[in-house]
Amino acid sequence: MSAPADALKPLRESGALTRAGDNGAPRSAAAGQGAHLLLVDDDADLLRLLSMRLSANGYRVTAVGSAEAALARLAIELPRLVISDIRLPDRDGMSLFQEIRSAWPALPVILLTAHGTIPDAVEATTLGAYAYLTKPFDAKTLLERIVQALNLSAPEAGPASGDHAWRAGLISRSQCMDELLAEARLVAASDASILIRGESGTGKELLANAIHRASRRSKAPFIAVNCGAIPEALLESELFGHIKGAYTGAVASREGLLQAADGGTLFLDEIGDMPLLLQVKLLRVLQERVVRQLGSDVARPVDVRILSATHRDLDAAMQEGQFREDLYYRLNVITLILPPLSQRREDIAPMATQFLQALAAKYGKTVRGYAPGALEALTTAAWPGNVRQLYNVVEHVCALATAPLVPLSLVQRALRVPSLEVLSYTEAKQRFERNYLVQLLKLTDGNVADAARLAERNRTEFYRLLQKYDLDASLFRGDGAAVAAERQE
């Protein structure tokens, strides 16, 4: 249900609804300036006036009148904060909130209601709502809650943030990667150990380096070592260092990587391949924050953050006695899971294009793009080797290309694996309907004709499906966020 009309009264009286540029209009704190907020309320007047007020305070606002419209906007661009009414026309606001918490646990939500009760407030906060305000609410309180929530949330990782330096090399248009990067940016501020899981070739070291660049340790060293690529005897010396004469051939003292990374970050790739003896020594470093070189009795303090990664199942390795349980819990304070390339197909085209541009410059080639069908073949391939395999395939076609556009035949030759067919709409299950439509619109950059063709539906029927889920195809063309902002002005 809509909020009662008197819900607007305290906002007007407090000056919370003055237009941007009015003299004396209050401003929010500097934290979160320019942040993207998503407002959800079926009261058009409240939505318009609250949007005006928040825009005047420097926020970028997207306003929608239903839960389905909110989910559609979340699929296009993840905001920093959601402000939602409890009672909505298409579904209960608590149901929307729970879906948001399930899909985006790091996204803060402020709930508004005109029919608040103490049990409702307790339930909302227990489930993880940042704040619960009853209409009519005090404008100053709402603005304070927004600033507080933004101080605790992750900075935007999507196109709207304008800050990509920390995540250099991580190309993303997909929702799952943007969510992961938002979580990575949030946990980068702490010193907690992070375990990065993912299949081989998904970019675990790139993510670890990005976390380092976003942390307070960014000016100190970032050192990466592959625990599975170095023999056990050498790995111990590499990590802990040695003194002169510690073993045959140790003609001079040498500090280890733990000391070299002092003040910074040490990334232990393929930690699941570390021998048990070294696991014990690494555990002592994490517990005592000191390092003892091989052959030395002197323990030296070290301040280093440990990031680790593995493609192995460490739970199974613990059960088999191949990985220490106590070390596992020391390393696995926070877990980030990199999705395989097959789950982020929206990223394949921009990655393939950027890789091709970089490799063409490297090899002095005049290749500038892909012929019709070639990019679609890349987008629908199986990619068992993930991003690493994609890069190798693009390098292959770039090296062999003799024309400005890479032909489909050359891509098929480089892939050497059968392509996957895009599912028709009739093959998709009902519960995945919205996600299926969003994926099609992203793959076609909002071209309804192409999306309808891929879904094997005529355009009229496809438009009805888009309307059912409040999906606006124009928001998927180019920079959807910029289109949405332009429509609101």
Side-chain angles (χ1 to χ4, degrees):
M1 296 293 292
S2 299
D6 60 2
L8 306 181
K9 184 177 179 181
L11 295 174
R12 294 192 182 97
E13 291 176 348
S14 66
L17 297 178
T18 35
R19 293 189 297 272
D22 287 353
N23 292 331
R27 300 287 173 181
S28 63
Q33 282 291 303
H36 180 204
L37 311 182
L38 176 63
L39 304 182
V40 190
D41 201 308
D42 63 333
D43 186 326
D45 289 336
L46 180 62
L47 206 59
R48 176 178 58 82
L49 295 172
L50 194 53
S51 297
M52 186 186 304
R53 171 56 181 160
L54 294 176
S55 297
N57 275 264
Y59 298 114
R60 185 166 61 88
V61 180
T62 297
V64 297
S66 69
E68 289 298 343
L71 291 170
R73 293 303 177 97
L74 286 167
I76 297 169
E77 180 188 7
L78 204 63
R80 289 278 302 280
L81 172 68
V82 175
I83 303 173
S84 175
D85 191 13
I86 287 287
R87 297 199 175 185
L88 296 169
D90 50 349
R91 62 190 291 186
D92 180 64
M94 284 299 294
S95 171
L96 170 64
F97 163 64
Q98 290 174 337
E99 184 165 347
I100 290 173
R101 291 303 290 171
S102 175
W104 303 284
L107 179 60
V109 178
I110 294 176
L111 295 173
L112 309 176
T113 181
H115 308 277
T117 65
I118 291 178
D120 290 339
V122 171
E123 180 187 8
T125 53
T126 300
L127 291 174
Y130 181 78
Y132 181 93
L133 301 178
T134 303
K135 301 175 184 178
F137 49 83
D138 178 68
K140 183 178 179 182
T141 300
L142 176 61
L143 291 174
E144 289 174 352
R145 292 291 185 272
I146 291 172
V147 171
Q148 292 165 1
L150 292 176
N151 281 332
L152 294 175
S153 68
E156 289 170 290
S161 66
D163 177 14
H164 289 89
W166 74 279
R167 48 172 287 190
L170 290 165
I171 304 167
S172 171
R173 288 176 52 189
S174 63
Q175 189 74 17
C176 62
M177 274 301 291
D178 280 345
E179 292 164 21
L180 176 66
L181 291 171
E183 290 182 6
R185 186 71 180 270
L186 184 62
V187 301
S190 73
D191 260 349
S193 298
I194 299 174
L195 177 63
I196 303 173
R197 294 177 181 264
E199 298 177 5
S200 294
T202 50
K204 295 186 286 294
E205 184 173 341
L206 280 175
L207 180 60
N209 208 334
I211 293 170
H212 171 74
R213 287 194 296 266
S215 74
R216 64 178 181 83
R217 298 175 178 268
S218 58
K219 295 183 180 179
F222 172 85
I223 297 178
V225 57
N226 189 317
C227 300
I230 304 175
E232 180 176 349
L234 291 179
L235 181 59
E236 183 175 10
S237 177
E238 282 290 308
L239 290 176
F240 298 92
H242 61 262
I243 62 172
K244 181 179 179 180
Y247 54 87
T248 302
V251 296
S253 297
R254 181 185 177 212
E255 73 173 14
L257 297 179
L258 282 161
Q259 288 178 289
D262 191 32
T265 303
L266 180 64
F267 174 58
L268 300 175
D269 198 6
E270 300 303 344
I271 189 69
D273 295 333
M274 178 177 281
L276 283 169
L277 177 61
L278 291 189
Q279 291 179 30
V280 176
K281 294 189 174 184
L282 178 61
L283 178 63
R284 179 167 296 178
V285 172
L286 292 172
Q287 290 173 335
E288 301 176 6
R289 296 292 175 180
V290 295
V291 173
R292 184 179 289 108
Q293 293 177 294
L294 288 175
S296 174
D297 295 327
V298 179
R300 299 181 180 179
V302 64
D303 173 26
V304 62
R305 184 184 194 179
I306 301 294
L307 305 182
S308 54
T310 182
H311 73 282
R312 293 186 60 190
D313 184 346
L314 293 187
D315 295 301
M318 285 191 296
Q319 294 294 326
E320 297 167 2
Q322 297 177 358
F323 201 86
R324 292 184 62 93
E325 184 175 356
D326 45 7
L327 177 60
Y328 173 80
Y329 290 114
R330 283 282 183 175
L331 294 173
N332 191 29
V333 177
I334 298 170
T335 300
L336 297 176
I337 303 176
L338 265 168
L341 192 56
S342 59
Q343 292 180 12
R344 42 181 298 215
R345 295 191 177 277
E346 306 95 319
D347 297 338
I348 293 175
M351 279 195 290
T353 300
Q354 186 163 317
F355 292 163
L356 184 65
Q357 292 172 348
L359 289 166
K362 175 181 177 181
Y363 294 133
K365 306 279 286 191
T366 57
V367 185
R368 65 172 186 270
Y370 297 89
L375 203 55
E376 184 175 350
L378 291 173
T379 302
T380 58
W383 299 118
N386 295 296
V387 179
R388 185 184 295 122
Q389 183 190 5
L390 174 61
Y391 184 87
N392 290 342
V393 166
V394 174
E395 187 170 21
H396 179 128
V397 300
C398 182
L400 295 179
T402 57
L405 297 179
V406 175
L408 172 60
S409 59
L410 191 53
V411 169
Q412 291 173 330
R413 175 183 170 185
L415 286 172
R416 287 183 286 181
V417 291
S419 293
L420 300 175
E421 292 185 2
V422 177
L423 293 173
S424 68
Y425 177 78
T426 53
E427 294 171 302
K429 294 182 179 179
Q430 180 68 25
R431 59 179 176 165
F432 294 117
E433 202 170 48
R434 183 189 342 105
N435 291 338
Y436 179 75
L437 296 172
V438 167
Q439 183 182 27
L440 289 179
L441 289 173
K442 286 182 176 179
L443 286 173
T444 59
D445 284 332
N447 187 309
V448 175
D450 287 347
R453 176 178 57 81
L454 291 174
E456 298 180 8
R457 288 289 186 274
N458 62 55
R459 292 181 63 178
T460 301
E461 183 179 358
F462 198 81
Y463 271 118
R464 284 200 298 267
L465 289 170
L466 296 184
Q467 186 176 17
K468 176 181 176 182
Y469 291 100
D470 286 325
L471 288 170
D472 186 345
S474 67
L475 297 177
F476 292 82
R477 297 170 191 157
D479 187 350
V483 175
E486 182 179 333
R487 288 191 165 199
Q488 293 174 46
E489 291 178 354

